Amino acid sequence: MDYCRKQVKSDCEELLSRFQQTESVRFEVFSKIWREMNFSHIFYGAVKREKRAFSRLVLDSAYSFFLPPFSFQIRVGGLYLLYGLYQCQTASPPEQIRLALKDWDDVKKFEKDALDAQHYDTVYIFRKLMSLKAFHFTAMPTLLAYQKKRKVERSALCEEFVERASRPQELINIELLEELSNIHGLYEKLKTSVSSMSEQADSSLNLTHKDLVPQLRSTVVHFYNWQQRKVEAARADR
């Protein structure tokens, strides 16, 4: 069954890539793309004895897009993808979505973020899956079994789906820079008053860079501009 894992992942990435281009998180937008691609047909090729194993593979592949480090929009698309696949699978009773306990905090934070942003269709789909008992809560992400050791092939993340780092911009804001500038000014005045009492300034008092605030701001701006150039280059290559 592993022979078709790459193809399933590729199909999921194609659907989510089209969804990403819409810059939307609406379920109706996702549903339109789902129908255009006839994505429910993904289960039609599985023979009877492979239906459950294939459903497991498909759900596991889609589940990875529901978790960090992917962007919020891709995670929304991953949730919608799980919902569509769970409802359309041909296995009976339906195969559940395996959800490791270590991922539960990320899932609940995702639900809260969607609710705070008033993405009610996203919250509805998640709670609908919960009401259907679609999730199978497990200790580990994958099933553990005693078997011969083998090299596990890890699939590469789609870089276009990964959320861009934004913590530097969030942490180093205007208010923080102003506060740092005030503290730095007070420190310099205190250092000057202490130094004037002695014959010469003690080098141990030079605990900060003179241009700390401008350098910090310049570094964050440089990082942001680099991010923007990288995004624009990626769009140009499409």
Side-chain angles (χ1 to χ4, degrees):
M1 188 58 64
D2 286 343
Y3 64 90
C4 57
R5 188 178 298 275
K6 287 184 178 180
Q7 288 80 0
V8 170
K9 182 175 180 290
S10 177
D11 288 342
C12 291
E13 287 180 348
E14 174 62 24
L15 187 153
L16 291 174
S17 179
R18 296 189 188 185
F19 182 59
Q20 185 183 42
Q21 291 173 18
T22 67
E23 298 182 353
S24 171
V25 292
R26 299 280 70 85
F27 182 67
E28 62 179 348
V29 175
F30 178 89
S31 299
K32 183 175 183 293
I33 300 172
W34 171 282
R35 291 191 299 270
E36 289 173 350
M37 293 182 65
N38 292 319
F39 212 82
S40 60
H41 293 182
I42 195 172
F43 293 105
Y44 286 9
V47 297
K48 187 174 182 179
R49 67 176 181 276
E50 294 179 344
K51 284 184 177 181
R52 184 160 299 282
F54 186 70
S55 292
R56 169 81 277 126
L57 184 149
V58 170
L59 291 173
D60 284 348
S61 298
Y63 176 72
S64 64
F65 297 105
F66 183 42
L67 300 174
F70 296 118
S71 67
F72 181 78
Q73 187 198 14
I74 293 299
R75 293 182 66 188
V76 169
L79 174 67
Y80 294 160
L81 183 59
L82 284 172
Y83 177 75
L85 293 172
Y86 179 80
Q87 296 281 46
C88 294
Q89 63 177 302
T90 54
S92 181
E95 187 71 15
Q96 290 178 296
I97 301 164
R98 191 179 181 92
L99 197 163
L101 294 179
K102 73 177 184 63
D103 298 328
W104 183 240
D105 287 342
D106 288 328
V107 171
K108 292 302 292 182
K109 184 180 185 302
F110 169 84
E111 181 190 20
K112 183 179 183 302
D113 290 343
L115 188 60
D116 291 344
Q118 298 183 356
H119 299 316
Y120 297 127
D121 47 352
T122 303
V123 177
Y124 172 81
I125 293 299
F126 174 71
R127 294 183 179 178
K128 181 66 175 178
L129 284 173
M130 291 292 291
S131 69
L132 292 171
K133 300 186 186 303
F135 292 108
H136 179 206
F137 293 93
T138 61
M140 301 296 290
T142 57
L143 186 65
L144 299 182
Y146 292 102
Q147 57 184 355
K148 183 179 179 180
K149 285 187 177 181
R150 61 179 180 176
K151 186 177 180 180
V152 179
E153 183 179 352
R154 297 184 180 276
S155 57
L157 292 177
C158 181
E159 291 187 4
E160 293 182 0
F161 293 171
V162 176
E163 186 172 22
R164 294 186 299 117
S166 60
R167 294 301 292 169
Q169 299 95 302
E170 293 174 1
L171 292 173
I172 310 302
N173 50 44
I174 297 298
E175 292 78 10
L176 178 64
L177 289 174
E178 289 179 352
E179 186 66 20
L180 281 175
S181 181
N182 292 334
I183 294 174
H184 192 267
L186 291 173
Y187 166 75
E188 289 294 333
K189 289 179 181 179
L190 181 60
K191 184 177 68 173
T192 301
S193 65
V194 172
S195 300
S196 63
M197 297 178 185
S198 59
E199 294 183 358
Q200 63 179 36
D202 188 347
S203 60
S204 65
L205 293 176
N206 297 323
L207 302 179
T208 63
H209 294 287
K210 186 176 181 180
D211 299 327
L212 173 65
V213 175
Q215 287 181 8
L216 187 58
R217 180 182 181 281
S218 175
T219 301
V220 174
V221 170
H222 177 75
F223 174 76
Y224 175 76
N225 291 335
W226 172 81
Q227 276 189 331
Q228 292 299 105
R229 289 195 299 270
K230 190 174 181 181
V231 170
E232 291 172 1
R235 289 175 179 172
D237 292 338
R238 290 180 181 175

